[in-house]
């Protein structure tokens, strides 16, 4: 009863024999040949299993009806612009969107997802803008006099476009939450 090492497990998946099996095969050549068909069959199934599992996962993901039927950016597949009812977030859909999404509950769920994705992206871009502004301020702090003042002025006037957009959507969220 010999324990399996990580190398033995790897070798079982990729069809090479473990060191222990190779040594035992040489010693028990007649016994191995007597049961070769059954062992080979089990080993082959064991090798195919990971590939079959991966194929089934990939194919179920490709054919699932839960695939994203919208985009936050316009594309050739999603040319039609719509806006969420709650916050007015723009999103894009394909030509068959109206035919496939007749249920109000699923449409609301999808629009909630649009809004969450939009807010998440805006938060990330806003953090990036703030980091850029802070780096500019840090750089300005290394200088003195007129050059420092000029650099601080440029850093202070650095536009935070994504942060402004995020603030607008968060204000809408706060107003809506206060009315509940």
């Amino acid at each position: 009863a010999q324990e399996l090492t990580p190398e033995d497990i790897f070798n079982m998946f990729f069809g090479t024999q473990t060191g222990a099996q190779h040594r035992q095969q040489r010693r028990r050549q007649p016994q191995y040949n007597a049961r070769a068909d059954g062992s080979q069959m089990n080993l082959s199934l064991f090798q195919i299993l990971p590939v079959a599992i991966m194929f089934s996962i990939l194919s179920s993901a490709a054919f699932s009806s839960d695939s994203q039927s919208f985009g936050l950016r316009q594309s050739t597949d999603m040319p039609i612009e719509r806006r969420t009812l709650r916050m007015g977030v723009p999103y894009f859909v394909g030509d068959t969107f109206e035919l496939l999404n007749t249920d109000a509950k699923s449409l609301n769920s999808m629009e909630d997802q649009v809004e969450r994705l939009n807010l998440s992206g805006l938060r990330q871009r806003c953090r990036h803008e703030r980091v850029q502004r802070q780096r500019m301020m840090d750089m300005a702090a290394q200088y003195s006099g007129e050059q420092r003042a000029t650099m601080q002025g440029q850093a202070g006037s650095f536009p935070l476009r994504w942060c402004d957009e995020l603030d607008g959507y968060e204000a809408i969220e706060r107003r809506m939450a206060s009315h509940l």
Side-chain angles (χ1 to χ4, degrees), residues 32-161:
Y32 182 77
N33 288 336
R35 59 178 193 191
D37 293 337
S39 296
Q40 287 291 13
M41 179 81 141
N42 289 339
L43 188 57
S44 295
L45 289 175
F46 194 59
Q47 289 171 336
I48 293 173
L49 187 63
V51 175
I53 291 171
M54 187 174 301
F55 179 75
S56 66
I57 290 171
L58 291 175
S59 62
S60 68
F63 296 114
S64 77
S65 61
D66 196 32
S67 64
Q68 204 167 17
S69 59
F70 67 88
L72 295 178
R73 293 195 176 113
Q74 192 171 24
S75 69
T76 56
D77 294 342
M78 299 184 190
I80 301 169
E81 182 176 355
R82 293 179 54 102
R83 291 191 175 266
T84 61
L85 293 175
R86 200 170 72 107
M87 296 175 70
V89 174
Y91 65 101
F92 298 88
V93 297
D95 298 331
T96 60
F97 179 80
E98 301 273 333
L99 299 172
L100 299 173
N101 293 288
T102 56
D103 178 22
K105 184 179 177 183
S106 67
L107 183 61
N108 286 338
S109 173
M110 189 203 60
E111 287 193 351
D112 286 344
Q113 186 180 4
V114 168
E115 290 173 354
R116 280 193 311 272
L117 284 172
N118 185 57
L119 288 173
S120 174
L122 287 173
R123 285 184 184 109
Q124 185 176 1
R125 288 185 216 106
C126 177
R127 273 192 300 272
H128 181 70
E129 285 178 336
R130 287 188 174 140
V131 166
Q132 280 184 289
R133 179 187 268 182
Q134 186 60 48
R135 286 181 182 159
M136 292 171 74
M137 290 293 226
D138 293 345
M139 179 91 60
Q142 296 176 7
Y143 293 87
S144 61
E146 185 66 31
Q147 190 172 12
R148 180 182 197 159
T150 302
M151 291 176 77
Q152 284 177 332
Q154 289 173 341
S157 64
F158 182 76
L160 300 177
R161 188 183 75 161

Side-chain angles (χ1 to χ4, degrees), residues 11 18 24 31 43 62 85 88 108 136 145 162 169 178:
N11 291 337
T18 63
Q24 288 176 358
Q31 288 178 339
L43 188 57
L85 293 175
N108 286 338
M136 292 171 74
W162 298 115
Y169 284 124
S178 69

